[in-house]
Every structure is written in C-alpha cells, then in structure tokens.
Amino acid sequence: MPVEDAEPRPAPAESAARVRVVGIGASAGGLDALGSFLAQVPADSGLAFTVVQHLDPLHKAMLAELLQRTARVPVQEAADRQRIQPNQVYVIPPNKAMTVAFGMLQLSAPTLPHGLRRPIDVLFESLANEYGEGAVGVVLSGMGSDGTTGLQAIKARGGLTLAQAPESAQFDAMPRSAIAAGCVDIVCEAREMPQRILAVLGGAPGVPASAWLAMADAEAPPGATAADMAFDGSTPDATQLSGLSAVLELLRLRGKHDFRLYKHSTLLRRMERRMGIHRLPSLHHYEQMLRGNPQELDLLFKELLIGVTAFFRDTPVWQAMQEVALPQLLHAHADGDHLRAWVAGCSTGEEAYSLAMAFREVVDASPDRARCTLQIFATDLSRDAIERARRAVYPLSIAGEVSPGRLARFFSLQDSSYRVDKSIRETIVFAPHDLTVDPPFTKLDLLCCRNLLIYLTAPLQRRLLPLFHYSLLPDGVLMLGTSETVGRFEHLFEPLDIRQRLYRRRESARTTVVPEFPLRAPVPAAQPPEESPLAEDPNPPHTLQAVADQLLLQALSPPAVLVDERGDIVYINGHTGKYLEPAAGKANWNIHVMAREGLRLPLQSALQQVDEQQAAVSLHALPLNDGTGLHRVDVSVHPLSDPPLVRGMRMIVFRDVELPAKGRRRRSTSAQSELETELQRAREEAQALREEMRASQEELQASNEELQSTNEELTSSKEEMQSMNEELQAVNAELQSKLDDLALAQSDMRNLLNSTDIATLFVDKDLNVRRFTERARKIISLRDTDIGRPLSELATSLEYPGLRDDVQDMLRTMVITEREIHSRDGQWYAVRVMPYRTQDDVIQGAVITFVDITTAKALEARLRQTHGGPALAPVVAPAPPPAQR
C-alpha cells in the first residue's frame, strides 16, 4: 500500500541551522526597551535575534535603523526565506507575520483583520516547534497580552522564557500578562536579559554561546535532548540524592506528581537548569527557595515534564504502522466495527493526530472496511499540554513534518498557523491522566506509549508493561519508542516489527496474572462517632398517676410531627411512615419534601393559612396512597405559642379515617375521580407554567444573544483601538527619534555657520527671509521676528540698491553672481548670490553670503598709491551652466 512520507524527513532540530535564535516581542514603549536590550548583546554572542514590534501596516518602519544606533551587532529588516546567521538582529517588516522554519525566516501576509493580529505569539510558537528546548522567548513593554500564548508554547517545550520587570516597562500589560500566566522563567530589566540568557545557555559573559551549541551537537544517547547533554551525566552523589529527595517530596505534597520513580539523572539535569536561572549554587539552596515559593514549584513541575514531540515522528515507524499493524487490526474486525486506541503521554497532541490521520488513510485504502472507526483517548500529565492539544493549532513550520497532501487534506490555514480539521479532532478525547496512579483505559485495540518509559526507572517500567498487556484486547498492538523495548516481558508481547518497536499482545498461561493496578493513595475516612446511649430521665415519674399518663400517651396519642417556621421536622411522635417518607438523595427533613402524594399540596396550603390566621386548621378525608391501597386521613395543623421553647412552631397531627365497608368501593371511585381531577388541574397548571418559562427563556436567550453580539463588537473595537494605539505609540517613538536627530542636525548646522564667521542670508523664491547667521545682523538690520519678511523691507548699511534685482536674475538664469560692495561705514564686502538647492535638487530660493574684504581693499589702495596704477575693478566670477530646476 502506498504510504505518504515514505522517505524519511529530517527532524526539525536536524534540518535547522545550528544557530540559537532568541525571539523578542514588544509593542508600545518597546523602542527604549529594545535599545537597552541590544546595547548589552556582545558582538560575538553566537546568537541570532528576531524582533517583532507592533507596527503600522501602512507606515514605512525605521525600527532597524533606530536600533542599529545602540546595538553592537548588525540590525536588518527581515526578508522572506532568509537564512538565519549568528550575531545578527532581524526586525519584522510592517504588515507581515514572521516565523522560523528550517533555519530560515518565513514572512507571510496576516490573515486576521487589523487589530486582531498576534504576531508575537506567531513567532514564539514557531520557535517552540522549531527548537523545542532550545527556544528562547522575551516579552518587553507593551499593551495587551500578545506574547503570552507564545511563551506558554515555549515553556511547554522546555525552552527559556523571560519578561521585562513591569516596574521598568513604559507599558506593563504584556509583561504582567505573561507573568500572571505562570510561564516566565526570568523577570528582570531589559538591559540585564542578554547576560542572563547567556548564563543559562552555558555562555557566561565573555564566553560565546557557540560553546553551548557545540555541546548540543555532541552525540546524545537515545532519547536524550540537547539540553540534557549540557549537564554532567555522572551518577548523583549522596548529597545530590538527599536534596533531590527533598525537592521531590515538596512536589508530591504540593499535589503535583510523584517523581520518585523517574530517573534521577534526568530530574537533576532539569533542576540544575532552574538553579542556573535563579543563580543558586546547590540543591539545598534550591530546596530552601522552593519551601517559600509555590509558584516556583509549579514551574519546576512543568520543567520536569518532557514535552518533545512532532507529527509523524520517526517516519519508518508510521510507515510500518500503516503497512503492517493497522491493516491487521482492520482485517480482524468486521466492517463497521468501532476500534479503541490510547495514546499515553500525548504531550501537545501531534502523535494522537498523526495516528488519527494514519488510520483514516488506511481505511480509505481498504474499501471492505470503509465503515470502521477509531476512538482515540489521548492523555498526558500536563494540563497545559492537554489544552494546547485540544486547540489543535500548530505553526507553519509543521510543513517540514507533514506532507503537502496531508496538509491539504487534514489541516486548514488560519492566521499564519495550521489547525487540524474537525473531522480528525472529533475522533480524539484529550484528558489529563497520571500513569502511575490513575486507572488505565481498557479494551483497547492499540496502545501507543512512545519515548516515555526511557525516563522511568526499571521498577516502574516492570509495573507498567503488564498493565499495558491487561489494557489491550487479544491481538492488540503496542507501539513503543525507538529506544524502548518490552524487556523481559516477551511472554506478554510478541514482535510485530522489532525494528520499529511494534508488538502484539500474546495469549498464554503465563499472561493470566492480574497486574498491579495503579491506585491513588486513599484518604483515610473519618471514623463515625460512636452513638452514646440516651441519658436516663433525671426525673422519672414516681407516682402511679404519672406512670399511667405516660403509658396512655404512648399508646393512644395519634401520630404527629413538630415543625419549625421553615417546615423542618424537629420532633416525631408515633409511627408516621404511612404519611411521610424520606426523599431520595441528600437527607432532607422538611415536611414539604417528606409528605406523601395527596398530602403535600394540602399541607402546604394549611401551613400558609395557619401563618396568616394564627388559628388551627383541619383538613378532612384527604386521599392517601401509601403503596398498600387508597386511604383517607384527617390532618390538623396547630400553631404553638406556649411554652416559649416551642413558640412559633406548628404541630401536625394525622388521624386515619375508616371507610364503611359498603361505601368503600363507591368512595374509592369518587376519591379516584377527585384525584384525577386534581391531577389534571395540576398538569394544566404545570403546562401553563412551562409555556411561560419557555417564553421567558426565549426572551432571555434573545436578550443574551443581543448582549453577546454587542459585547463581541465592543471587544473587537477595543482590540482594534488598542492595536492602533500601540502602532501609533511605535510610530510616535520613531518620529520622536527622527525629530531628535533633526534637532541635533540643526544645532550642528547653526554652529557650523556661526563658526565660519561669514554673514549668510537665506531667502525663499519670493525673496522672503528664511534664515540668517549672527554675522549677518551687523550688515543687515535683522531680528528673530524678521523670518518671513521680504528682502526689500530690510534696512542695510550696504550701498547696494540692486541686491533684490541680482537675486531675481540669479533665480531666473541660475547664474551665480559675485560683487564687491562698499558700505556706508567704510567697509567692503564680497557679495555672492547662489541658488538654494534641496536634497532632491529642487531650487527653493537663494543663499547670499557677505565676506568682509576691507583689509584686501586697503592693501589694494596702498599698492595703487605706491605704483601709481589704477584701482582694480570688481570681478564677477564666471558662473557654471544653468542647472535644471
């Protein structure tokens, strides 16, 4: 049978380039935080950084340019399918969603409407899927909650998560949301984060992270992860075991899980990672911290849960499943049968969904079993992982695990992510479950428990494998991980495909032993208190009359009950079982609940009448059916006022009515008719009440739908406004930075012009004053308020009436004019008129400079007197060809 993905695909961690990627998300107020973060990143950290900032989709971003000013590593805007390189910063472009897959950046157009997009979550989820335990996510200043779901995904895979300290963020909503979700490992200021990240990854300040990466690339034992290889795998010593036992006991008392039967080396590696985050030197110090920090206990619990999984992980295994195991199971059943499977340790659901897809493909290829179905129970210890599995939403990078045909058939594209189709989701039930203490699923055709046993000690493995055998039906299939076997339990399972770890349940005399069932530790039941005998009457009757009165009361008094103002029975006299009976469910001693049919409604009316009239009320010949036949009973209700002990209570007395033998049948028929009439009336009243309730319910439903619609519209509007506000904040920060640059450039220009000691006047095309230098004030009467004033209105000491005409001629011909002009105070100036050109080479006015040449003129005069020659005439310098406007 042809099977998709027959050729093995590389695992994500194998296909990705060996560059550790740090994802950074920010929004409003994030520019300063990003600058502080990147300023502390070493130039040779060996890491790559991807930055997602909420940007205006219609505005050209300057974020990369602004961040480059403080960063010691190159900053560039990301491009689609760009290979990630170390020591680089990649910034998201406007109106794009950015993900990471196979060591490359992937850019796509967002599918959700503006205001509802969550680009930070999209990036973080792709990092979690691509790098698993190696993923690093950082949330900085911003409004809203974008980034929280993404950090949860990274945390579920064992990655490192950081959030900016809320008190240091301009807008603290995003960091607070992530911290409140319990998915943040480190909370600190943005400037501290790079060193904390390098310290956790094994690259302390000054040590490149490439050393950690080289360690991660080392050959690991089967089932081990790169993060596991980062720590020493030697046998724990006595001190470590003591500290480990104390920490595991704290977890157990917290009600999380009993990890004592997990392999100690694995647990210690995970704990050492938490110790590195908190900079603690030993397990003893970590234990002391845990005793006063329940939140850290919760984080440690999530850390100890191994969550490494993928779609169709180990392709040859799934090929054998589709070609061997599933066809055999189908042919052992009739068409239309319902098969059951259990995926234990399902993590975030990829393996369960893979099984459902594989089964669907095998059924489609088997026309004679086309109506067979598979119900999958998928369980895991982590509730967070179960919630993610139920959502069935996965990043775009799963395209490396799932073939294009399966993507098109079993997935739908939703806002830069894939979601499993409903037809597949409906075949799987996800539930939290603890293999060590919860009862197993039974009557299974297939049990999948991959890469879980490798983390458990041998005693627990020996307990679970017989339990798996018990859970499977005859000829049921067991699917283990590539590094797991059934060990010494060959008498329970026979190989179906030994290389791919597929086994079939055996049936033999040795398999009849009942396995050890997991049971939660029973909570000791509280011992019921022993009943103490009633105390003897301290004042027994001591006269013959008193004894006779007591005997007559016990023998001849009618059945009666004493009830309080709520109708609760406080005392019973005589045998009342004919009139009262306990109601099913929780014990309830109320007269309205215990009264038999035929007495309940009349008693209710009589008690209300007694409360209103404060007088006794009698009810005669009430019909009563106690299960032995129809009877008549008189009931009287008496209000009590004396003695004070019973004040406010009611005494209800029952007296049977004997029917004459001759009229019994006739009266019985009459009573039955009365009962039927009352019953019909009650039914009509109940029907009318139901109709009223139905109408009220419909009105409430309509109102609820209207309110829900309004709420959704308001929520959508709020999110859109919030998104626009965040984008405006980002644009405002960029523009503010640009304005600061322009102000600095203007100050530089002003200082430059003033330092040249040359009088300069700038005029626009209409010959109005635009700007001038301080030196120009000595030649032309200029004040700050003269900006925008016509040149012809300015007073000057120059004997130059043609200045305006020269400027106009220059603007018309584009020929630079130079003249030597005398002033009334005896000074000479070289006046130069030239065009004012913008950066785009557009003429926007003129620049007039005045250079003092008085000294040169005096020297010229002395030379003329000495040699007797004529004075030199002013020279106009030749102008360049006219420029294009």
Side-chain angles (χ1 to χ4, degrees):
M1 178 180 64
V3 180
E4 292 194 62
D5 292 341
E7 292 299 323
R9 288 175 176 265
E14 296 171 349
S15 61
R18 285 298 185 183
V19 179
R20 199 70 174 272
V21 179
V22 178
I24 308 173
S27 185
L31 185 60
D32 291 341
L34 286 168
S36 300
F37 182 100
L38 295 177
Q40 301 301 318
V41 174
D44 60 346
S45 68
L47 306 178
F49 300 86
T50 53
V51 176
V52 171
Q53 165 91 31
H54 289 174
L55 301 171
D56 184 348
L58 304 178
H59 178 75
K60 181 180 179 181
M62 301 179 290
L63 186 59
E65 175 186 347
L66 297 175
L67 295 179
Q68 186 62 78
R69 298 174 183 176
T70 58
R72 287 183 277 178
V73 292
V75 182
Q76 58 182 297
E77 193 171 87
D80 189 30
R81 303 191 66 80
Q82 181 178 9
R83 177 67 62 179
I84 299 176
Q85 300 296 333
N87 304 314
Q88 298 281 334
V89 178
Y90 302 94
V91 177
I92 187 173
N95 202 32
K96 292 292 183 182
M98 181 165 68
T99 57
V100 174
F102 305 111
M104 294 187 295
L105 298 172
Q106 309 280 346
L107 300 180
S108 60
T111 57
L112 286 178
H114 182 225
L116 302 179
R117 303 167 185 169
R118 306 180 73 84
I120 302 175
D121 284 336
V122 171
L123 172 66
F124 286 176
E125 288 177 355
S126 72
L127 289 174
N129 189 74
E130 179 75 5
Y131 294 98
E133 293 181 337
V136 181
V138 177
V139 167
L140 300 178
S141 171
M143 295 186 291
S145 60
D146 192 12
T148 299
T149 303
L151 286 189
Q152 289 175 328
I154 292 176
K155 185 67 179 173
R157 295 298 186 92
L160 179 64
T161 57
L162 301 91
Q164 185 177 0
E167 60 273 12
S168 69
Q170 293 184 28
F171 297 86
D172 60 4
M174 275 173 41
R176 286 192 185 279
S177 173
I179 295 169
C183 58
V184 178
D185 293 322
I186 299 175
V187 178
C188 62
E189 295 185 13
R191 58 186 175 84
E192 301 174 0
M193 290 180 173
Q195 300 305 323
R196 298 291 296 272
I197 292 172
L198 291 173
V200 173
L201 299 187
V207 180
S210 55
W212 190 96
L213 297 173
M215 191 180 300
D217 283 332
E219 182 178 357
T225 62
D228 292 337
M229 291 295 293
F231 297 106
D232 181 16
S234 58
T235 303
D237 57 27
T239 303
Q240 287 178 314
L241 289 178
S242 174
L244 176 64
S245 299
V247 172
L248 296 183
E249 181 65 15
L250 289 176
L251 280 170
R252 190 183 67 82
L253 294 176
R254 176 75 174 165
K256 291 298 181 184
H257 182 61
D258 189 353
F259 287 97
R260 288 176 296 181
L261 292 179
Y262 281 59
K263 290 182 178 177
H264 292 169
S265 57
T266 302
L267 297 177
L268 284 172
R269 283 193 293 267
R270 298 283 171 152
M271 291 181 188
E272 287 176 12
R273 183 175 179 275
R274 298 299 306 172
M275 291 161 52
I277 290 173
H278 296 288
R279 302 178 179 180
L280 297 174
S282 67
L283 270 175
H284 173 72
H285 291 84
Y286 188 50
E287 175 204 347
Q288 297 302 315
M289 174 193 174
L290 288 174
R291 291 188 181 278
N293 193 340
Q295 183 180 8
E296 176 62 21
L297 270 174
D298 296 340
L299 292 174
L300 176 61
F301 171 71
K302 296 177 182 179
E303 185 81 18
L304 295 180
L305 299 180
I306 315 295
V308 180
T309 185
F311 283 100
F312 297 99
R313 189 181 183 191
D314 302 320
T315 304
V317 174
W318 290 100
Q319 183 175 354
M321 172 66 72
Q322 289 190 291
E323 293 179 348
V324 180
L326 289 177
Q328 290 187 12
L329 283 176
L330 282 177
H331 289 296
H333 290 76
D335 190 21
D337 281 359
H338 185 71
L339 284 72
R340 289 160 54 92
W342 177 21
V343 179
C346 68
S347 188
T348 49
E350 288 91 332
E351 199 160 77
Y353 288 122
S354 299
L355 177 59
M357 297 175 205
F359 182 82
R360 182 71 57 83
E361 291 172 350
V362 173
V363 167
D364 290 347
S366 306
D368 56 337
R369 298 294 188 273
R371 293 188 295 114
C372 287
T373 60
L374 177 65
Q375 175 69 66
I376 301 174
F377 303 96
T379 63
D380 197 87
L381 192 58
S382 170
R383 293 183 179 272
D384 292 340
I386 289 295
E387 287 302 318
R388 287 196 61 207
R390 286 172 178 161
R391 288 198 298 270
V393 177
Y394 299 96
L396 295 177
S397 55
I398 66 169
E401 308 164 5
V402 184
S403 67
R406 283 175 175 153
L407 282 176
R409 180 180 180 186
F410 299 119
F411 293 84
S412 58
L413 190 60
Q414 297 182 0
D415 189 31
S416 301
S417 60
Y418 287 109
R419 190 179 190 199
V420 181
D421 284 345
K422 185 177 180 181
S423 61
I424 296 295
R425 299 200 308 268
E426 289 178 340
T427 65
I428 305 176
V429 176
F430 290 99
H433 182 275
D434 187 343
L435 270 176
T436 63
V437 295
D438 289 329
F441 292 86
T442 57
K443 299 182 179 179
L444 301 172
D445 297 281
L446 191 149
L447 197 160
C448 177
C449 183
R450 304 188 67 213
N451 302 314
L452 174 62
L453 299 179
I454 56 175
Y455 298 107
L456 309 180
T457 57
L460 185 54
Q461 292 180 11
R462 290 194 295 269
R463 203 174 84 190
L464 288 179
L465 284 169
L467 196 67
F468 291 166
H469 180 271
Y470 176 84
S471 298
L472 287 167
L473 291 170
D475 294 328
V477 174
L478 174 65
M479 184 181 187
L480 297 179
T482 54
S483 301
E484 300 165 334
T485 66
V486 296
R488 63 182 187 181
F489 292 100
E490 295 91 349
H491 63 286
L492 298 180
F493 300 96
E494 62 177 336
L496 197 60
D497 187 326
I498 190 63
R499 291 190 58 190
Q500 310 308 333
R501 300 300 188 261
L502 294 176
Y503 299 88
R504 182 192 289 119
R505 183 185 192 267
R506 284 183 186 270
E507 292 297 325
S508 66
R510 296 180 59 194
T511 64
T512 58
V513 180
V514 178
E516 178 184 353
F517 279 89
L519 294 173
R520 291 190 179 273
V523 178
Q527 294 293 332
E530 294 184 1
E531 295 186 4
S532 56
L534 294 175
E536 295 288 342
D537 189 353
N539 298 307
H542 56 278
T543 65
L544 181 61
Q545 180 181 357
V547 173
D549 290 342
Q550 185 174 6
L551 292 175
L552 287 171
L553 181 64
Q554 294 175 357
L556 302 177
S557 61
V561 295
L562 187 64
V563 301
D564 60 16
E565 62 276 4
R566 295 187 301 272
D568 292 335
I569 299 173
V570 297
Y571 181 79
I572 298 176
N573 180 71
H575 299 286
T576 59
K578 183 187 294 186
Y579 320 104
L580 308 177
E581 64 176 344
K586 186 178 179 181
N588 191 335
W589 289 89
N590 192 278
I591 189 67
H592 303 294
V593 176
M594 296 186 65
R596 290 184 181 273
E597 286 295 331
L599 300 183
R600 188 172 301 161
L601 292 177
L603 264 178
Q604 183 177 358
S605 300
L607 285 169
Q608 291 176 352
Q609 190 174 348
V610 168
D611 289 339
E612 294 171 358
Q613 300 176 359
Q614 288 299 311
V617 174
S618 297
L619 305 173
H620 300 286
L622 296 178
L624 173 66
N625 191 342
D626 61 354
T628 62
L630 185 65
H631 306 277
R632 291 284 176 170
V633 62
D634 290 342
V635 179
S636 58
V637 183
H638 304 270
L640 303 179
S641 58
D642 288 319
L645 181 62
V646 296
R647 184 173 298 160
M649 295 186 182
R650 308 286 183 265
M651 178 71 75
I652 303 175
V653 181
F654 304 95
R655 289 184 178 88
D656 289 335
V657 177
E658 291 295 333
L659 295 178
K662 295 181 180 179
R664 190 169 298 169
R665 183 180 302 277
R666 178 172 52 83
R667 294 193 180 186
S668 175
T669 304
S670 175
Q672 183 175 1
S673 177
E674 291 178 10
L675 280 175
E676 290 176 353
T677 303
E678 291 180 6
L679 180 60
Q680 181 63 29
R681 184 170 60 251
R683 286 174 177 170
E684 292 173 356
E685 292 176 356
Q687 180 64 27
L689 183 60
R690 280 197 297 269
E691 291 176 357
E692 292 177 4
M693 291 181 63
R694 186 181 299 111
S696 300
Q697 185 177 6
E698 290 175 355
E699 293 177 2
L700 290 174
Q701 181 68 22
S703 300
N704 183 50
E705 290 175 355
E706 292 177 3
L707 290 174
Q708 185 174 353
S709 176
T710 303
N711 183 52
E712 291 174 354
E713 292 175 2
L714 291 174
T715 301
S716 177
S717 300
K718 176 187 174 183
E719 291 177 348
E720 290 179 6
M721 293 295 294
Q722 179 175 314
S723 177
M724 292 176 64
N725 187 31
E726 293 173 354
E727 292 167 1
L728 289 174
Q729 288 280 352
V731 172
N732 182 56
E734 292 181 356
L735 292 177
Q736 183 60 48
S737 177
K738 205 70 174 178
L739 287 174
D740 294 342
D741 293 344
L742 291 174
L744 181 61
Q746 185 177 9
S747 298
D748 292 343
M749 184 61 65
R750 182 182 299 111
N751 283 279
L752 174 63
L753 292 174
N754 291 335
S755 65
T756 59
D757 203 25
I758 296 176
T760 307
L761 176 66
F762 300 86
V763 296
D764 59 21
K765 291 190 293 185
D766 297 327
L767 305 190
N768 297 323
V769 176
R770 295 182 57 180
R771 186 171 298 171
F772 54 86
T773 62
E774 287 297 320
R775 184 68 176 173
R777 294 177 187 267
K778 298 180 180 179
I779 302 171
I780 303 173
S781 299
L782 289 168
R783 294 174 296 181
D784 293 338
T785 57
D786 288 333
I787 301 297
R789 188 175 178 183
L791 180 62
S792 59
E793 295 181 6
L794 300 178
T796 177
S797 62
L798 295 176
E799 295 179 354
Y800 191 7
L803 176 59
R804 177 182 174 85
D805 296 335
D806 285 349
V807 174
Q808 289 178 331
D809 290 342
M810 186 278 301
L811 290 175
R812 185 179 64 255
T813 64
M814 292 296 107
V815 177
I816 298 175
T817 301
E818 293 186 354
R819 298 185 185 277
E820 294 179 354
I821 304 299
H822 185 264
S823 67
R824 287 188 289 274
D825 56 1
Q827 301 293 320
W828 282 89
Y829 295 93
V831 181
R832 180 182 175 91
V833 182
M834 58 187 300
Y836 179 96
R837 298 179 184 273
T838 66
Q839 190 174 358
D840 298 328
D841 201 25
V842 176
I843 306 301
Q844 292 286 355
V847 181
I848 309 171
T849 59
F850 306 87
V851 179
D852 190 346
I853 58 172
T854 303
T855 303
K857 277 293 186 179
L859 179 59
E860 178 187 349
R862 286 197 298 271
L863 290 173
R864 188 180 63 241
Q865 291 175 0
T866 303
H867 300 286
L872 298 175
V875 177
V876 178
Q884 297 294 329
R885 296 179 69 87

